[in-house]
Structure formats: C-alpha cells, structure tokens
C-alpha cells in the first residue's frame, strides 16, 4: 500500500485500448495472419474446432476454450477411452509413427475427425490423446506411449463393467480388479503430468507466434497516441497520480514518459507480460480450478493458471493497489472470467463495500453506432454480473451492486456520447 495522500486513479486496460489505437490485436487478426498459418501447435488446431467461428473470435473465447479443454467434464482429459472411434484412431496413429512429420500431422488428424468427433458429440479427450501420442512418439518418449496404451486397453469403464458382471472363469476377482484400478490410477496421474507439460509447451508455441505477429503491428507513433488516449480517460478524475494495470502485451512505458512530472505520475504493470520482455502468457483464471471435484484434473490445469504462469516470468513487477485510489477506470476489457482473480483482488484492496472508491466503466460505440443500444445493454449486464459475482465470492451483503448505484459510485460511460460540456452520460442513468 502506498503512503502518498493525494488521490490516485487506477486505469485498467484491455484489448479494446489497443484496438482503439488501430492495432490489429484481436485473436481473429492473428488467426488470419500468415504467421498463424505457419503455426503448427496443437492449440492452433483445437481452438478452431472448439470455436467454429474462429475468424471472429475474441481473446475471452480463446481463454475459455483453453479452460474447457483442461477442466470441462465433457471435454477434459477423461478416464474413458474404450470407444470404437478412439481405438480406430489409435490404430491409425500407430501406422503413422515414424513416417509422419510435425507439419503433416494436421492432415492426418483431419482424416480422423469423423472418428474423434462424432457429429452429435464433441469430445476433445481422444483428440489430445492421439495427438500427444503422435508427437511424443517422435521424441522417443516410450513411457508416455506405455501409459497411453495402458489407458486405451484398460479404461475405468471396463473395470466397472467387470465388477458388475456375474462371476465366472473369465471375470477377474475383486482383488485383481482392485490392483488393476490402482495401477491405472498411477498411470493416469503420470499421464496427466506428461500431457500437462506437453500442452503447456504447445501453448508457448502459439504465444511466440503471436508475439512475433503483434510486434509487427506496432507503429512508430504508438507511444504518442497511447499517451493522448490515457490523458482523455483520466483527465477529469482530478488525480495527478495514475496506476495502469495493462492486460495487453504492448508496452506503455514510452507513453508514460511523455507525461511531465507536474502533469501526471504514472506507474505501469503489464499483468500478462509484454512484447519487449518476450514473456507474454495466455492462460486461465486461478478460480477455475476450484470448480473441480476431480483433483487429478486440477493437477493438469494448475500450470495453466495465469497466476502460476506469472510466477515463472522473470523480472516480474510487483502489483500492489495503492490505499489512496479513489477511482478505478476500466476501458477495453471484456471483464471475462479468465481475469476474475485480479478484479477480486482489486475490489478487496480498495474495500469496495465500505470505501468511497468509484468504478467507472468506459466503452466506445463509434465503430458500430447502429447497435449502440445493444452494446450498452451488454456492457451493463457484464458489469452487473462482475459485481454480483464479487459479492458472492467474498460473502458481501447482497445489496452491494444497489449500494454502488445509490451512492453514485458506479458509472458506465459511452465515450462517444459525452456532451459538449464534457459531462459523461452514464448508461445506468438512462
């Protein structure tokens, strides 16, 4: 916590900030780039399958897709691999080992799509299963192959079916079934650790490709334009000190240096890394793994949480919320679940229920004036969802959202509808 007694403003920036500066930083922009087409990561194959309209997908959709692969009961790394489709896919992969390189993999997997993805049911487990087998076999990881073979031949469902079948000479006794189940659990734990490492290394391939792509999109005038935009956002706050929590990968250090010491003291934290440090990260929210009853899947997902990955970034700057923050201005962030941990921390630090801190959510509609009312409604609903989730998380009185409205401590402002006097029009005041 800071000791400065002057009021401070916290500015939370999402991808919409860079988009407002005409940076093509959407995932869909990356998806349509030549760099993406040269990207041969497993995730670059999985994400378009999970999100059919990947050409218009947002970052929150990608983060959600990663979370679903790791955590969702219907899509995660499940314990049942005894379907005819999976067996046929495994047999096909076996035939390809030694003769298929990484680039040709996608064509072969596409051939399996009808087997791996039945038309009426989407199941990612077999896909990751088969891809990981193919890739790891090329690295002579015999242990993984043994684990996968064991899982495919001895699934949990087979053991359960045997337990329920009548006793006969072909049915193993209960002691043998117990040993099979114990051995399978041991293999499964090891399998998850290996696959987790594999999927994380594959995600780093996507990150490196995106880093190269985004670097190519930054113009020489980025710092000046960013400085002007920041000045517009906080110019009417009365603060001479501003903390910027930047969820983008672009570096605002140049923009901050333009402010004179008398005009504004600026501190910046790139929460997910930045291009100049070569340490950008994609990931899931640390709250996601709390949903799981299956502790084994938590082991799989934990290395993918943003907090876990941030700990591995070298030269990570400390993120503290100053005690004198009187207003928090949000712009360009989707307020998605993937970053909820950060919002939870911020609201706790400013004592949102009892303090006088204001929440100001700014957004733009100039790009789509015909749908401005719909956009406004969606923003209002997203903000209310965030506040109500927070009050449930920390056990706050269930009137927190109403309290903020009554006290005038929450505003949703269309920056393209500010009146000529500079007075912002709040969506909640309609």
């Amino acid at each position: 916590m800071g000791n400065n007694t002057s009021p401070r403003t916290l500015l939370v920036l999402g991808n919409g900030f860079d988009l407002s500066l005409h940076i093509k930083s959407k995932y869909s922009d990356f998806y349509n780039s030549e760099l993406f087409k040269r990207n041969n990561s497993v995730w670059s194959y999985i994400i378009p399958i999970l999100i059919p309209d990947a050409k218009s997908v947002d970052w929150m959709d990608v983060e959600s897709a990663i979370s679903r692969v790791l955590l969702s009961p219907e899509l995660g790394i499940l314990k049942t691999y005894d379907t005819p489709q999976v067996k046929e896919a495994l047999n096909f992969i076996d035939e390809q080992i030694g003769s298929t390189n990484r680039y040709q993999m996608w064509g072969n997997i596409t051939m399996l799509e009808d087997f791996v993805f039945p038309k009426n049911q989407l199941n990612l487990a077999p896909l990751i299963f088969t891809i990981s087998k193919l890739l790891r076999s090329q690295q002579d990881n015999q242990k993984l192959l043994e684990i996968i073979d064991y899982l495919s031949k001895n699934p949990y469902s087979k053991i359960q079916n045997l337990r329920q079948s009548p006793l006969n000479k072909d049915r193993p006794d209960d002691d043998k079934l117990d040993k099979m189940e114990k051995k399978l659990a041991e293999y499964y734990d090891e399998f998850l650790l290996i696959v987790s490492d594999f999927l994380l290394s594959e995600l780093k391939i996507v990150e490196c490709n995106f880093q190269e792509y985004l670097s190519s999109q930054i113009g020489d005038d980025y710092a000046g334009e960013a400085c002007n935009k920041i000045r517009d956002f906080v110019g009417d706050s009365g603060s001479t000190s501003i903390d910027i929590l930047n969820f983008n990968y672009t570096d605002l250090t140049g923009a901050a240096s333009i402010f004179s010491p008398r005009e504004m003291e600026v501190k910046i934290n790139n929460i997910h890394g930045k291009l100049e440090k070569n340490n950008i990260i994609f990931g899931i929210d640390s709250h996601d793994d709390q949903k799981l009853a299956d502790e084994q899947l938590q082991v799989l997902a934990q290395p993918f949480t943003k907090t876990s990955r941030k700990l591995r970034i070298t030269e990570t700057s400390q993120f503290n919320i100053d005690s004198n923050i009187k207003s928090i201005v949000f712009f360009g962030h989707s307020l998605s679940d993937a970053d909820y941990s950060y919002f939870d921390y911020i609201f706790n630090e400013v004592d949102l229920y009892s303090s006088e801190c204001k929440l100001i959510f700014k957004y733009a509609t100039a790009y789509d004036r015909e749908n401005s009312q719909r956009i406004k409604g969606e923003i209002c609903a997203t903000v209310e969802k965030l506040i109500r989730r927070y009050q449930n998380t920390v056990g706050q009185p269930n009137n927190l959202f109403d309290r903020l409205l009554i006290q005038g401590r929450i505003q949703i402002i269309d920056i393209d509808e500010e009146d000529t006097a500079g007075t912002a029009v709040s969506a909640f005041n309609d």
Side-chain angles (χ1 to χ4, degrees):
M1 294 293 217
N3 297 318
N4 192 342
T5 57
S6 64
R8 302 182 70 91
T9 294
L10 174 63
L11 178 59
V12 179
L13 299 177
N15 190 41
F17 178 78
D18 279 346
L19 292 176
S20 72
L21 299 177
H22 310 293
I23 305 296
K24 292 184 177 181
S25 55
K26 289 183 177 180
Y27 186 85
S28 55
D29 294 323
F30 173 49
Y31 179 85
N32 288 308
S33 70
E34 289 298 321
L35 272 172
F36 184 90
K37 295 174 183 177
R38 299 200 300 267
N39 181 356
N40 58 0
S41 164
V42 166
W43 289 103
S44 296
Y45 181 73
I46 293 174
I47 290 172
I49 292 174
L50 265 184
I51 312 170
D53 191 19
K55 292 185 178 180
S56 60
V57 69
D58 291 324
W59 282 111
M60 61 181 293
D61 299 318
V62 176
E63 292 165 336
S64 174
I66 294 172
S67 178
R68 288 175 66 196
V69 169
L70 300 169
L71 303 177
S72 174
E74 71 271 14
L75 296 179
I77 311 293
L78 306 180
K79 299 178 181 179
T80 300
Y81 298 99
D82 60 345
T83 65
Q85 294 88 351
V86 176
K87 290 180 178 178
E88 191 161 356
L90 287 171
N91 290 335
F92 180 86
I93 292 296
D94 282 334
E95 296 172 0
Q96 300 298 312
I97 290 177
S99 62
T100 305
N101 63 33
R102 194 177 176 89
Y103 179 77
Q104 293 170 323
M105 172 183 64
W106 304 125
N108 294 328
I109 294 299
T110 300
M111 294 171 62
L112 296 175
E113 204 162 326
D114 288 339
F115 302 121
V116 177
F117 294 97
K119 300 303 181 183
N120 60 345
Q121 182 181 6
L122 179 63
N123 188 350
L124 272 180
L127 175 69
I128 299 173
F129 205 43
T130 53
I131 291 178
S132 60
K133 177 167 184 175
L134 175 62
L135 293 184
R136 285 297 185 176
S137 69
Q138 295 173 27
Q139 299 176 31
D140 297 322
N141 194 327
Q142 192 61 35
K143 184 63 177 177
L144 178 61
L145 293 181
E146 292 174 4
I147 293 170
I148 290 176
D149 287 340
Y150 189 87
L151 286 170
S152 62
K153 296 172 183 175
N154 300 276
Y156 280 88
S157 61
K158 179 179 179 180
I159 296 174
Q160 293 306 313
N161 290 336
L162 286 172
R163 287 190 186 281
Q164 296 169 10
S165 63
L167 286 171
N168 56 56
K169 63 177 182 178
D170 297 322
R171 179 197 182 279
D173 60 32
D174 288 342
D175 286 342
K176 188 171 183 178
L177 289 176
D178 288 342
K179 291 179 181 178
M180 289 175 61
E181 198 166 47
K182 182 178 179 181
K183 186 178 181 182
L184 180 58
E186 292 172 357
Y187 272 119
Y188 186 70
D189 287 341
E190 190 168 349
F191 170 72
L192 288 181
L193 290 174
I194 295 174
V195 170
S196 178
D197 176 66
F198 163 71
L199 290 177
L200 189 57
S201 67
E202 290 291 295
L203 189 59
K204 290 176 181 177
I205 294 174
V206 183
E207 292 166 348
C208 289
N209 277 268
F210 179 73
Q211 181 166 302
E212 183 179 353
Y213 164 77
L214 187 57
S215 296
S216 70
Q217 302 300 309
I218 308 299
D220 295 335
D221 54 349
Y222 178 79
E225 292 181 354
C227 174
N228 292 335
K229 185 73 71 172
I230 293 170
R231 185 180 285 114
D232 289 342
F233 286 146
V234 300
D236 57 354
S237 66
S239 299
T240 57
S241 301
I242 176 173
D243 298 324
I244 299 178
L245 186 60
N246 191 11
F247 283 86
N248 301 320
Y249 307 112
T250 43
D251 189 0
L252 292 174
T253 304
S257 66
I258 298 175
F259 288 100
S260 67
R262 292 183 180 181
E263 179 186 9
M264 195 80 68
E265 175 198 358
V266 181
K267 295 180 180 179
I268 304 169
N269 187 297
N270 274 62
I271 203 70
H272 294 154
K274 55 177 134 178
L275 296 176
E276 289 73 9
K277 297 290 185 180
N278 297 318
N279 61 5
I280 68 173
I281 61 173
F282 303 164
I284 63 177
D285 185 70
S286 59
H287 279 73
D288 285 347
D289 58 11
Q290 297 174 10
K291 305 174 188 175
L292 288 176
D294 191 331
E295 293 183 1
Q296 291 171 311
L297 291 185
Q298 290 188 35
V299 171
L300 171 73
Q302 195 276 335
F304 290 82
T305 62
K306 291 181 178 179
T307 49
S308 174
R309 299 205 62 198
K310 189 171 174 61
L311 287 174
R312 292 169 171 78
I313 295 178
T314 57
E315 300 182 28
T316 300
S317 57
Q318 192 173 11
F319 170 43
N320 290 321
I321 299 297
D322 195 283
S323 59
N324 297 303
I325 285 178
K326 300 304 180 185
S327 61
I328 305 174
V329 180
F330 298 79
F331 180 78
H333 198 292
S334 64
L335 309 180
S336 65
D337 291 342
D339 291 320
Y340 176 74
S341 292
Y342 298 107
F343 303 137
D344 178 70
Y345 171 69
I346 292 169
F347 295 159
N348 283 338
E349 290 299 293
V350 300
D351 189 11
L352 186 59
Y353 186 82
S354 300
S355 71
E356 297 179 356
C357 182
K358 295 182 178 180
L359 304 181
I360 303 170
F361 300 86
K362 296 193 173 186
Y363 68 102
T365 57
Y367 68 94
D368 191 2
R369 296 303 296 168
E370 292 183 359
N371 294 302
S372 61
Q373 291 301 312
R374 177 185 58 78
I375 295 171
K376 179 164 59 177
E378 291 173 351
I379 296 291
C380 288
T382 301
V383 170
E384 182 173 357
K385 177 184 175 182
L386 172 64
I387 302 302
R388 295 199 185 281
R389 177 178 180 182
Y390 171 70
Q391 70 186 23
N392 291 333
T393 300
V394 297
Q396 291 278 20
N398 59 13
N399 66 340
L400 174 60
F401 182 72
D402 299 319
R403 179 186 179 94
L404 293 174
L405 284 178
I406 292 171
Q407 294 178 341
R409 291 171 51 209
I410 183 169
Q411 290 181 304
I412 299 182
I413 299 170
D414 183 349
I415 62 174
D416 297 315
E417 286 189 352
E418 293 183 337
D419 63 28
T420 55
T423 302
V425 179
S426 173
F428 280 129
N429 293 333
D430 288 355

